[in-house]
Amino acid sequence: MSPLNRRSVLLGLGAATLTACATQRLPAAPAAAPQTFPKVLARRERITRTVVGLRPFRPQGFRLEAERFGEKTVIHNYGHGGCGVTLSWGTSQRAATMAGEAGRFDVAVLGGGVMGLTSALLLARRGHAVTVYAEAMHPNTTSNIAGALWLPASLYDRDVATQEFLDLNWHVTREAHRGFLPYVNRPGYGVSWVRHSETSNRVRDPRFALPGGDDLYPDLQILTAQTRFGFPYEERYHTLMIDPDYYLDQLMRDAQLAGARFISQRFETLDDVLALAQPVIVNCTGLGAGKLFGDETIMPIRGQLTHLLPQPEIDYSYTTYIDGSLYMFPRKTGLVLGGSHGRGNWSLDVSEEELTRMIDGHAALAERAAFATHPA
Ligand SMILES: Cc1cc2nc3c(=O)[nH]c(=O)nc-3n(C[C@H](O)[C@H](O)[C@H](O)COP(=O)(O)OP(=O)(O)OC[C@H]3O[C@@H](n4cnc5c(N)ncnc54)[C@H](O)[C@@H]3O)c2cc1C
């Protein structure tokens, strides 16, 4: 794969060096007919709610591995930062396979967020007797707060993650994407395609493909002119919009139909966990894993989302940067404005300052021309 060559052409940097193979990978040229981007009405009187959640972040990336405690096997599946919904099918499929390899019938799943529900569903469908234990269940988990765009982002620190992790993550990302495809436009699941723009003040290094490979982002265009909001650089493609209010509801129902049982329980210590009857335990406790399993590397990245009244005409999303990052995701139930990342911040209180930044920032973006050529 050679995204370097592809992007070199689009950026006008070295067409002569293209190989025939790389030429075949070129995405379609920028659309000839201008696309329309109706304005977001970012106004206080349109706010329906503002919510806060804590992304379970590990600088080295998610934890996906088996750990033995005497007779018990614990499969860890936590620490997915800002893209747990995105990666849920990928890491949960691997966690379910690891749990199956322990060769036991009864499996406990700790956690009722997207990771616990997906793991439980997969294990129940594979014939295990599954019991989900969690303090908070849908609709009261961090997963319910998520944006939730299918986008592998805010997952690890580049200077900390190992090459081994990056290789694993590449494959998991691809598996995760494949896991969502059967749900697109399935009635009641809240999963659909959206055309997404990611803009930047800096023209990005063309050697790097998008996470998991460019082919996961249909209709990919790299733009350095006629960009969204007039930024110097834009990656435009289609990705999946997942509405957690619908999606988690269905996932929980599917897990129950497959035979999973749900028990509301909080665990204070590792001994509490190991006292469970099941010999195999899949740990999907997100941030809770820090205390339960002594993981001192996991930390919160606080995020605040402001929901606005729906605008059915808005069929696009964006991630951009103007005095901090800002994103907008459209749902049937409303527009989601976000982009706050408070590393190490445990506060679940709504920040008025952040709310103002969201409304003012998105309103300012809406005032920019739909297309504008950035200054030379
Ligand atoms: C503002 C915001 C925006 C986001 N946007 C996106 C996005 O656009 N795309 C995306 O993919 N992701 C997004 N995320 C990230 C995503 O929400 C998380 O990565 C994901 O929810 C993690 O899922 P989880 O199942 O591991 O954890 P959680 O949803 O937190 O679930 C953990 C479960 O474990 C249980 N638990 C924990 N400790 C204990 C204990 N001691 N005893 C019993 N039960 C326990 C909890 O009660 C809960 O049921 C966003 C997050 C935030 C906050």
Side-chain angles (χ1 to χ4, degrees):
M1 305 220 288
S2 180
L4 167 62
N5 289 336
R6 188 209 65 225
R7 292 189 191 171
S8 295
V9 166
L10 292 166
L11 299 170
L13 295 177
T17 63
L18 265 186
T19 63
C21 174
T23 308
Q24 285 167 5
R25 289 198 60 249
L26 286 171
Q35 297 172 335
T36 54
F37 294 93
K39 272 187 185 182
V40 169
L41 302 176
R43 298 201 296 261
R44 276 192 178 257
E45 62 271 24
R46 296 184 64 84
I47 295 176
T48 56
R49 62 184 161 133
T50 294
V51 293
V52 177
L54 306 177
R55 303 172 179 94
F57 180 79
R58 299 174 86 229
Q60 68 275 46
F62 55 75
R63 186 170 184 201
L64 181 63
E65 63 182 354
E67 189 174 12
R68 292 282 301 181
F69 294 91
E71 297 292 298
K72 308 263 178 186
T73 302
V74 173
I75 312 292
H76 296 290
N77 180 20
Y78 70 87
H80 300 78
C83 60
V85 179
T86 300
L87 294 182
S88 52
W89 285 104
T91 60
S92 297
Q93 255 154 13
R94 290 190 177 224
T97 299
M98 282 190 244
E101 283 165 359
R104 309 297 290 267
F105 179 60
D106 289 317
V107 178
V109 173
L110 303 192
V114 71
M115 225 47 82
L117 293 178
T118 313
S119 299
L121 172 59
L122 286 162
L123 283 159
R125 282 189 176 158
R126 291 179 192 185
H128 290 276
V130 178
T131 309
V132 179
Y133 300 88
E135 181 183 18
M137 296 280 185
H138 162 73
N140 299 314
T141 69
T142 300
S143 302
N144 293 90
I145 302 276
L149 195 71
W150 194 93
L151 202 59
S154 307
L155 173 61
Y156 58 85
D157 285 340
R158 273 190 205 167
D159 53 346
V160 177
T162 62
Q163 190 56 46
E164 191 187 358
F165 171 78
L166 296 178
D167 291 344
L168 169 68
N169 186 41
W170 178 275
H171 293 291
V172 161
T173 300
R174 297 187 66 79
E175 291 155 18
H177 192 263
R178 214 173 301 137
F180 268 109
L181 292 179
Y183 292 95
V184 178
N185 290 353
R186 191 187 283 194
Y189 283 79
V191 181
S192 57
W193 290 108
V194 66
R195 54 187 175 132
H196 182 71
S197 292
E198 182 155 351
T199 68
S200 170
N201 273 317
R202 189 171 55 82
V203 174
R204 291 194 184 153
D205 190 331
R207 278 175 305 174
F208 299 111
L210 294 177
D214 285 354
D215 57 317
L216 302 188
Y217 306 84
D219 205 12
L220 172 64
Q221 298 165 35
I222 308 296
L223 303 173
T224 54
Q226 297 284 292
T227 60
R228 201 78 186 87
F229 309 125
F231 280 88
Y233 180 84
E234 177 186 351
E235 290 168 352
R236 190 181 299 174
Y237 47 80
H238 279 70
T239 189
L240 296 171
M241 189 68 243
I242 301 142
D243 184 333
D245 289 339
Y246 290 82
Y247 180 69
L248 295 175
D249 212 44
Q250 292 289 355
L251 205 57
M252 186 158 177
R253 203 164 306 169
D254 286 350
Q256 282 169 327
L257 285 173
R261 292 189 311 137
F262 286 78
I263 294 179
S264 183
Q265 184 171 336
R266 175 176 166 80
F267 299 88
E268 294 297 339
T269 64
L270 177 58
D271 286 344
D272 290 350
V273 173
L274 298 179
L276 286 170
Q278 291 86 351
V280 180
I281 298 159
V282 183
N283 171 27
C284 304
T285 50
L287 261 186
K291 186 168 168 237
L292 276 182
F293 291 90
D295 182 347
E296 292 178 359
T297 65
I298 195 163
M299 66 181 85
I301 296 189
R302 179 188 176 282
Q304 179 169 311
L305 302 180
T306 290
H307 292 243
L308 302 179
L309 283 171
Q311 283 186 252
E313 72 279 18
I314 297 213
D315 62 350
Y316 65 89
S317 57
Y318 59 77
T319 313
T320 188
Y321 196 91
I322 150 173
D323 292 333
S325 87
L326 288 174
Y327 60 69
M328 185 283 296
F329 304 153
R331 292 185 187 172
K332 278 206 175 79
T333 50
L335 301 186
V336 182
L337 307 184
S340 62
H341 294 85
R343 196 170 168 127
N345 185 344
W346 288 90
S347 171
L348 287 170
D349 296 335
V350 169
S351 154
E352 191 56 36
E353 191 185 337
E354 192 57 19
L355 200 158
T356 302
R357 185 181 79 84
M358 294 281 155
I359 293 293
D360 291 354
H362 287 281
L365 285 168
E367 287 313 310
R368 294 192 184 187
F371 286 102
T373 307
H374 71 86

